[in-house]
Amino acid sequence: MNENLFNDQKNNERIAALIQKGWNFEQNHTVIRKVFKFQNFNEAFGFMCKVGMTAEKINHHPEWSNTYNKVEIALTTHDQGGLSELDLQLGEFIEQIN
C-alpha cells in the first residue's frame, strides 16, 4: 500500500469523497473498485470511451470489464503496490462524467 497517499489530509478527503460515491476498498486498501450501470450498451460503451481517452492521456489505465450495460472498474498502481495520485485523478474524472 502507498502509505504516503494516506498520510495526507487532502488525499484522505479525496478518498472519502470517492467512497461516498460508491467506491469500495479491496485487497488491504490497495485497490478501489466500483460498478457502474447504464441504460444500455451504447451508454456503457460511450462511458468507457471517455474514461479510456483520459486514461491514455494521463498514461494510467484501469482494470475494467464490461457486460452489456455494466462497467466494473478497479483502480490501483501496481508498480507502487497500491493506490496513487493517478488513481485518485482517474477516479475523480470518472465521477465527473458519470
Side-chain angles (χ1 to χ4, degrees), residues 43-59:
E43 286 184 17
F45 188 73
F47 169 77
M48 291 179 72
C49 288
K50 290 176 188 175
V51 172
M53 296 298 289
T54 294
E56 186 65 19
K57 182 178 178 180
I58 67 172
N59 194 30

Side-chain angles (χ1 to χ4, degrees), residues 29-40:
H29 290 86
T30 61
V31 176
I32 194 164
R33 181 181 311 272
K34 184 174 178 179
V35 176
F36 297 86
K37 292 186 180 176
F38 300 91
Q39 294 295 315
N40 53 50

Side-chain angles (χ1 to χ4, degrees), residues 6-17:
F6 293 94
N7 289 335
D8 181 272
Q9 180 61 32
K10 183 174 180 174
N11 285 340
N12 285 332
E13 291 170 6
R14 294 168 70 197
I15 292 166

Side-chain angles (χ1 to χ4, degrees), residues 17 23 38 44 48 54 56 61 64 73 77 82 84:
W23 291 82
F38 300 91
M48 291 179 72
T54 294
E56 186 65 19
H61 304 89
W64 59 5
I73 300 177
T77 303
S84 72

Side-chain angles (χ1 to χ4, degrees), residues 68-86:
Y68 183 62
N69 68 333
K70 183 176 79 171
V71 177
E72 183 174 351
I73 300 177
L75 300 175
T76 189
T77 303
H78 296 285
D79 62 354
Q80 292 191 21
L83 295 176
S84 72
E85 171 64 25
L86 292 173

